[in-house]
Amino acid sequence: MSSTAFAGLELGQPAPNIEGTLIDGKPFSLNSTKGKVVLVNFWASWCEPCREEMPAIETYLKKNKTKGFEVLAITVDKPTDMEQAKQIMRNYSFLFADKNQMNYSGYGRIWRIPSSFIIDKQGILRKNGLTGDPKVDAKLLEEIVTPLLLAQ
């Protein structure tokens, strides 16, 4: 694995921008979310662990959205699975995007899913979804996101 695969993905460094169009047609740019803590989640409709972690993320989002927490879920589904992905997303209040409509090249190749990246209010990467345990649960959100939400 060459170090260029992780180019720009250093914890404590500015997170690369992600921009494009959400499924609902709205434009999105990670750079414009400064002042919020953002969880970027790469997932797929056929991925069991992806679907398992979503209810915990949704519960945390509902509790903390007013405090400046946002979730961007980017599906890596093939076009043929898009309908299923949309069905799943109806249960959640995440910002939802198709990988083909988003530019996330600064993150390199997303080689595992789920992969979640957490970016703080200053746009600094606090969790790299390509290293460590990929699973996101209530405990992880409390440990990583809650202090970031409280930080000024």
Side-chain angles (χ1 to χ4, degrees):
M1 169 74 61
S2 72
S3 60
T4 54
F6 292 117
L9 281 188
E10 291 289 320
L11 289 183
Q13 293 298 312
N17 193 23
I18 296 175
E19 59 186 348
T21 308
L22 301 173
I23 295 284
D24 64 11
K26 293 193 180 104
F28 176 87
S29 169
L30 186 62
N31 286 350
S32 67
T33 63
K34 293 240 166 77
K36 290 185 174 180
V37 177
V38 183
L39 175 99
V40 179
N41 176 257
F42 288 90
W43 71 286
S45 62
W46 45 263
C47 162
E48 203 56 55
C50 298
R51 296 204 312 266
E52 281 168 13
E53 67 182 11
M54 284 179 170
I57 297 172
E58 175 70 12
T59 301
Y60 190 86
L61 176 62
K62 283 203 166 112
K63 243 177 31 194
N64 294 285
K65 194 169 175 66
T66 56
K67 297 177 189 149
F69 183 56
E70 197 59 83
V71 176
L72 171 64
I74 301 176
T75 176
V76 298
D77 274 304
K78 295 193 286 299
T80 50
D81 295 326
M82 211 40 173
E83 240 358 271
Q84 195 182 351
K86 287 178 179 171
Q87 288 284 79
I88 293 167
M89 273 297 125
R90 289 199 180 109
N91 304 311
Y92 301 104
S93 50
F94 310 154
L95 299 174
F96 172 40
D98 169 7
K99 74 172 183 335
N100 298 318
Q101 304 294 314
M102 300 303 277
N103 177 356
Y104 53 87
S105 58
Y107 291 79
R109 190 172 71 83
I110 302 299
W111 54 271
R112 72 174 184 187
I113 54 167
S115 270
S116 290
F117 298 83
I118 296 173
I119 295 103
D120 74 11
K121 292 178 186 176
Q122 280 74 45
I124 304 297
L125 186 67
R126 297 298 175 191
K127 178 186 187 326
N128 179 349
L130 299 175
T131 59
D133 184 352
K135 196 166 158 27
V136 170
D137 55 21
K139 182 175 174 293
L140 178 119
L141 292 166
E142 291 292 348
E143 281 172 9
I144 298 182
V145 178
T146 301
L148 296 176
L149 289 171
L150 295 171
Q152 288 311 311

